[in-house]
Amino acid sequence: MTVNLVNLRSAKNAVIGNPSAKVQLARDPKFVANLVDCLNYPGERAEVRIEAAHVVASLSYGSDDALLALLRAHAHHALLYALANFAKNDLPPLRAAFARALRALAASVADAVGPSQWGLGPTSTVAEHHAQDALEFLFLPESLDTLLPLLSDTTAQVTTSIAQLLASSIRMRHHRFCVSEWLPQAERTKTKEKDVRPRRGWEKILVGPGLGGWTVRQLVELVGSKDLKLQEAALGALAALAKDTTNVASALARPSTDREPSPLTSILNLAKSRSPDVQIAACLCAAHVLRALPRHQQDESSTRIVMNTVNRMIASPLSPADDLGTPHAFTGATSSSTLGNLGQVTLSQRTRACFVLYHLVADDASLCQAAFDRGCLAQLVGLVTVLPLPPTPPSLIAEAESLAPGSGTGQGGGTAGAGATGRSRVYVPPPEDEAKSEEEEEWCEPEGRALLREAVLTTIAAISLFDNDVRRSLTEPTFHHPSYHSPYSITPSASIPNPNTLFSSSPSPVQPSTSTSSTPPLLPVLLAGLAHPSPGVRYAACQCVRAMSRAVAVLKTNIVDSGLGVGVWRRCVKNGGMGGKGRCAGAGEGTSGSADGKDAGEGDKRVLGAGLAVVCNLVNDFSPLRSVLLDDGLVERLVEILGYDEPGLRVSALWAIKNLLYRSSLELKRRVMREVGWGRILGFLEDADVGIREQALNVLRNVTESERDIELVYVEVAEDVLLDRVADALKSSNDDIVLQAAYLLANLANDTEAPHQARILAHPKILPALHDALIASTITASSPSSSSSSSAPTPHVPHAHTHMYTPRAQARSPLVSCVAQLAMTSAGAAQVRAAGFESALRHVCEWGGGGLGGGRGAAGGWDDDRRVVEKARGVLRSIERGGS
């Protein structure tokens, strides 16, 4: 195709909203190359260049093939070069078209590289190195020298596009740093002059006038614009810069002068804007700023403003444009005075409001509790329960009637629900060919509604992650918050999906609850979400089940009775994270599901990871589903996952194996370890991934719970090899690995067989490693400022010192127990004394409760600390006597 004005306009009209046309055009490399070259043809008419930029912008969205073709043709280089070389007399529409094209290309590249800004996001088939290289190119200092000065451009369309580019493409910490630290050439020169000028000791180095870097200051100025689109773009860029960046957040929370409020105050004022999009952008920016600030700088009133604003959006009346598919979906009413300046909220805005609330409360127990107290959880449940569920197969209705309480066909007569206390009733499932109804319809949900479903479930999971009372409230048949009236009709769903048809080719061995009057409204939604075509919805549903299954009572009743436990296992783990059948007709560009249906056949490993997190809870020793999953191929599937390349999935599989082995029978341990392979576990002890090494130690720790179990280990594993691995783990710089190695060695030392203890004492590495680990754990426990080297977040507990949650400090107890066991005999006591343990044990006594340290135990940990000290004193007495 020749590149001219007519053909460009024809191509633009053909590819807009048409992924297949984009793919067809991208398969013509000559046209793509000419299209990109046309952007910078000398003497080319402005109209042609504008149309070429429009085509590039359209090709950037919705098709990985088209995006890859543009990257191979170096479209990002061409656009940036053009922006750097525009003359002052170039038409504003020309510069605006190029800025929009580069914004579209940068956003698509960032989506391909990840992580997604809104939800799980689709997986991209763009070659990773092409997308990664293009994204890094945009954040090079030379590229920023072209892009960032355009924030002060006189054309509002150009400024808006550049701010949107920053908002959509800044996803990584080093990109935030590059943009926030960038300075114009003139300011760089001044800074260098200041650096070389000699200063007196009392003079301070000024890093700019109060608001951080130049980019932050410029964006703050743009926030004050009267242009709503520009306001929204500037707020989005500030949100991207402030996320997880304390320096930027502190600059925004600090007043620029004594008389002027802080930029954060101005941002929060925009939460009352007449534009819902500006409100959402302001709340997102404020949420990222508040979460990036140190805890003592977080303002409760600011948090309350964000929470109330997004809560009102979530609770706003549903409109016909929302296309919920059910005319009776909304039965409540919310007055305009309650909504303030909100106006009509669209489906997309409601979705983003849910994600803003998620970003505000995620992984913070106090904020999650505040969201629950303010009724956010009730609003979310109300919203998700009015979204339509898939049609109920006729076979389920007949089955539900036959298994209803009092029918005489079920085993037991209890009613499943929040108050159920017994185990679920097990029934004989129908044959496989009868389990699938011919009248079962495929679930097809529009992209916008699917993303809303994902956003609501994701936020529900975040809020309910920490507190048992919150988790139990989700299982109440008529859940509502007593102090906050939900405008939604929260009634039990009349359509409960059939676990037999939703979850795999083999029927479910657990009977679902069939009494609609006692069915919690959220459970059918989660059950259906596990079979949703969108990976994001399945992932979010798994996260909800994971949060709920952390409550023992909920796991023993609702998770079992509703079929959610078996559902997660069958749909998201056993079958590899596969979703619903087929693809929704009419799904648009950028859908959260797979555009070509590959996900339905291959599964999504992100969903598999979320499902494995649930399975880790389902196989605990108190779970009724442990035996069910074992009989359904659990061990074989976990062994298969251990062979995957993704370290995260292997860690989760080992975690599930660890929980499965905890307090299990010797026969089960022998069976599981035979399937996993003793050699493979020993190999994991030397893996490059820290998490894999930690969980492998934890697996062996749970295998060696009794003397019979320890004998099994010594039969299967060479003792010297095992002790070598344990000694190396005790020397690790990772606190979590040291903790698990300490527990494993303590278990091995509990074996009263003299030959085994003698081999431990005689091993050349064990006693020195044990001594050094004990000294390190005591020093760590004596320092309140110490912290774990683990990547896991430290839980926030008011009035508790940090060191009580340090794994290395927690390792003192098993380490002292290990020394106590080894010193029980006279020969062992002599070897322990010769290794210098007396001074180490005295150090434990001095820094523990009642010693010279004055009792450094944290709140809730005093008794544990005192027990460790008493045990250390007992070991010292045993050593002095020459054994017990």
Side-chain angles (χ1 to χ4, degrees):
M1 181 189 297
T2 306
V3 176
N4 55 47
L5 187 59
V6 175
N7 288 339
L8 286 174
R9 286 177 176 170
S10 175
K12 179 184 70 174
N13 294 332
V15 300
I16 291 177
N18 191 342
S20 59
K22 295 180 182 183
V23 172
Q24 185 176 359
L25 204 59
R27 289 174 180 170
D28 186 351
K30 184 177 180 180
F31 170 79
V32 176
N34 290 338
L35 173 69
V36 173
D37 291 340
C38 179
L39 296 171
N40 289 291
Y41 273 156
E44 185 64 79
R45 288 187 301 163
E47 293 85 350
V48 176
R49 298 178 70 189
I50 289 174
E51 289 299 330
H54 288 334
V55 175
V56 169
S58 183
L59 289 176
S60 301
Y61 285 115
S63 169
D64 286 346
D65 292 335
L67 177 60
L68 185 57
L70 290 175
L71 295 181
R72 286 173 174 167
H74 303 290
H76 49 298
H77 288 266
L79 290 168
L80 196 64
Y81 177 81
L83 288 171
N85 290 278
F86 277 135
K88 291 184 178 180
N89 58 351
D90 282 320
L91 296 174
L94 178 62
R95 292 161 39 226
F98 275 65
R100 282 194 300 269
L102 186 59
R103 176 208 67 196
L105 188 61
S108 296
V109 169
D111 284 336
V113 175
S116 173
Q117 285 186 310
W118 304 106
L120 189 66
T123 54
S124 177
T125 58
V126 177
E128 183 177 346
H129 63 280
H130 281 288
Q132 186 68 54
D133 291 347
L135 191 61
E136 293 299 330
F137 167 77
L138 292 175
F139 290 97
L140 291 175
E142 297 80 7
S143 301
L144 295 179
D145 286 343
T146 298
L147 288 174
L148 295 182
L150 294 176
L151 289 173
S152 58
D153 194 89
T154 56
T155 305
Q157 293 90 336
V158 174
T159 305
T160 301
S161 294
I162 298 304
Q164 290 171 338
L165 184 152
L166 297 176
S168 59
S169 60
I170 297 178
R171 312 283 179 92
M172 303 178 187
R173 185 181 297 273
H174 66 283
H175 292 163
R176 296 186 183 99
F177 178 81
C178 291
V179 174
S180 61
E181 295 296 318
W182 181 88
L183 290 174
Q185 188 64 43
E187 293 192 23
R188 270 179 259 177
T189 304
K190 292 180 181 179
T191 303
K192 289 180 181 179
E193 292 175 353
K194 289 182 180 180
D195 289 341
V196 298
R197 187 186 68 186
R199 293 185 304 274
R200 286 163 289 192
W202 51 267
E203 290 183 314
K204 294 182 179 180
I205 302 175
L206 299 178
V207 190
L211 275 182
W214 182 91
T215 308
V216 174
R217 297 196 302 270
Q218 190 64 33
L219 290 170
V220 168
E221 290 183 14
L222 295 177
V223 167
S225 169
K226 300 299 182 182
D227 187 330
L228 294 179
K229 283 289 184 184
L230 183 54
Q231 268 189 340
E232 180 188 355
L235 288 167
L238 284 174
L241 288 173
K243 184 178 182 181
D244 301 325
T245 309
T246 303
N247 291 340
V248 175
S250 298
L252 292 174
R254 184 172 58 246
S256 55
T257 65
D258 292 338
R259 297 183 178 180
E260 294 183 7
S262 68
L264 178 59
T265 301
S266 302
I267 290 168
L268 288 169
N269 287 336
L270 291 176
K272 304 173 185 177
S273 170
R274 67 180 185 272
S275 167
D277 288 323
V278 173
Q279 290 186 44
I280 293 171
C283 289
L284 178 64
C285 183
H288 284 322
V289 169
L290 291 169
R291 290 304 305 271
L293 289 173
R295 183 173 292 275
H296 68 276
Q297 294 183 16
Q298 294 178 9
D299 182 27
E300 184 180 350
S301 62
S302 301
T303 303
R304 187 166 56 249
I305 291 173
V306 176
M307 205 171 287
N308 288 346
T309 302
V310 296
N311 204 18
R312 286 197 302 268
M313 288 190 173
I314 295 169
S316 63
L318 301 173
S319 68
D322 288 333
D323 186 27
L324 294 182
T326 52
H328 56 279
F330 177 70
T331 61
T334 305
S335 64
S336 58
S337 61
T338 303
L339 296 176
N341 296 329
L342 191 58
Q344 188 62 58
V345 180
T346 66
L347 205 66
S348 172
Q349 291 163 349
R350 204 183 306 268
T351 299
R352 283 178 285 147
C354 292
F355 280 126
V356 170
L357 181 58
Y358 166 78
H359 287 301
L360 178 65
V361 304
D363 300 322
D364 190 295
S366 60
L367 290 176
C368 288
Q369 186 62 47
F372 177 72
D373 292 339
R374 303 197 70 81
C376 295
L377 191 62
Q379 302 291 6
L380 291 165
V381 173
L383 176 56
V384 77
T385 51
V386 301
L387 299 178
L389 293 177
T392 305
S395 58
L396 174 62
I397 299 175
E399 182 181 276
E401 291 176 352
S402 66
L403 294 172
S407 63
T409 58
Q411 297 178 18
T415 302
T421 57
R423 291 174 176 257
S424 64
R425 296 158 295 170
V426 179
Y427 70 99
V428 179
E432 181 178 340
D433 55 348
E434 296 180 11
K436 295 183 179 180
S437 170
E438 296 179 358
E439 302 177 36
E440 180 188 354
E441 299 180 18
E442 296 177 3
W443 188 3
C444 177
E445 187 167 48
E447 172 195 352
R449 197 200 304 159
L451 189 57
L452 174 60
R453 189 184 297 273
E454 176 187 354
V456 175
L457 293 180
T458 299
T459 312
I460 289 174
I463 295 175
S464 57
L465 185 62
F466 295 99
D467 189 81
N468 270 339
D469 292 336
V470 176
R471 287 190 281 264
R472 283 195 291 267
S473 70
L474 296 175
T475 63
E476 295 174 2
T478 56
F479 168 60
H480 68 281
H481 194 276
S483 62
Y484 200 98
H485 172 68
S486 173
Y488 298 105
S489 175
I490 309 180
T491 56
S493 173
S495 173
I496 304 176
N498 186 353
N500 290 342
T501 56
L502 289 177
F503 306 127
S504 86
S505 57
S506 56
S508 167
V510 180
Q511 173 194 339
S513 173
T514 58
S515 176
T516 58
S517 61
S518 62
T519 301
L522 183 63
L523 301 190
V525 174
L526 296 178
L527 195 62
L530 297 174
H532 198 281
S534 166
V537 175
R538 302 200 301 276
Y539 182 91
C542 285
Q543 294 292 358
C544 284
V545 180
R546 171 191 171 226
M548 294 170 63
S549 63
R550 296 181 72 179
V552 176
V554 175
L555 173 57
K556 288 184 174 181
T557 55
N558 299 96
I559 298 296
V560 174
D561 298 339
S562 66
L564 281 173
V566 173
V568 171
W569 157 245
R570 290 267 180 89
R571 173 60 65 180
C572 300
V573 179
K574 186 178 182 180
N575 293 341
M578 291 190 296
K581 300 177 291 183
R583 178 189 175 218
C584 290
E589 298 177 34
T591 178
S592 57
S594 175
D596 53 9
K598 289 182 181 179
D599 177 75
E602 300 174 1
D604 191 300
K605 288 186 177 178
R606 299 170 297 178
V607 178
L608 172 59
L612 281 171
V614 180
V615 169
C616 289
N617 293 341
L618 300 183
V619 297
N620 277 310
D621 61 301
F622 51 78
S623 171
L625 290 175
R626 174 187 270 192
S627 59
V628 173
L629 301 190
L630 277 171
D631 295 340
D632 202 30
L634 172 66
V635 177
E636 293 79 1
R637 178 57 176 152
L638 293 177
V639 171
E640 182 183 355
I641 295 172
L642 288 177
Y644 285 5
D645 294 331
E646 293 80 2
L649 293 179
R650 290 192 289 161
V651 168
S652 296
L654 284 171
W655 201 306
I657 291 171
K658 168 195 73 176
N659 288 356
L660 180 63
L661 292 174
Y662 181 64
R663 292 183 178 177
S664 62
S665 65
L666 178 62
E667 292 72 20
L668 179 58
K669 291 177 179 178
R670 182 180 288 111
R671 171 195 164 189
V672 171
M673 294 305 298
R674 183 174 60 248
E675 293 285 344
V676 174
W678 291 94
R680 171 179 272 183
I681 291 295
L682 289 178
F684 284 151
L685 295 180
E686 298 180 307
D687 197 274
D689 187 89
V690 171
I692 291 177
R693 296 206 304 273
E694 177 196 352
Q695 293 308 317
L697 287 166
N698 220 327
V699 167
L700 290 174
R701 169 190 170 184
N702 286 354
V703 171
T704 56
E705 292 175 315
S706 69
E707 292 188 13
R708 293 180 61 199
D709 299 335
I710 295 171
E711 195 62 37
L712 170 65
V713 174
Y714 285 140
V715 168
E716 300 290 346
V717 178
E719 194 167 349
D720 289 342
V721 174
L722 177 60
L723 294 177
D724 271 337
R725 302 288 193 276
V726 174
D728 292 340
L730 287 173
K731 298 176 184 177
S732 173
S733 60
N734 183 275
D735 292 358
D736 296 289
I737 289 178
V738 173
L739 175 63
Q740 298 308 324
Y743 275 116
L744 173 57
L745 185 59
N747 284 356
L748 294 174
N750 276 334
D751 188 4
T752 57
E753 293 291 333
H756 295 317
Q757 285 204 353
R759 291 192 189 101
I760 294 175
L761 289 166
H763 194 280
K765 292 183 179 180
I766 286 294
L767 289 183
L770 181 60
H771 177 272
D772 293 345
L774 182 58
I775 292 290
S777 68
T778 306
I779 294 174
T780 303
S782 68
S783 173
S785 61
S786 62
S787 61
S788 169
S789 59
S790 171
S791 60
T794 301
H796 171 69
V797 177
H799 314 300
H801 294 294
T802 305
H803 75 267
M804 280 308 298
Y805 295 96
T806 306
R808 191 176 291 269
Q810 296 175 21
R812 284 189 308 157
S813 178
L815 290 172
V816 171
S817 297
C818 183
V819 177
Q821 289 295 325
L822 295 176
M824 289 183 68
T825 63
S826 57
Q831 288 182 269
V832 167
R833 170 179 284 183
F837 275 89
E838 284 183 290
S839 61
L841 291 168
R842 287 195 177 93
H843 200 58
V844 172
C845 297
E846 290 170 356
W847 285 103
L852 296 178
R856 291 181 176 263
W862 181 274
D863 290 341
D864 292 338
D865 195 45
R866 185 160 46 192
R867 280 193 291 268
V868 172
V869 172
E870 291 175 356
K871 184 174 291 186
R873 289 172 176 161
V875 178
L876 283 172
R877 290 192 293 269
S878 177
I879 292 175
E880 292 171 356
R881 292 195 305 266
S884 58

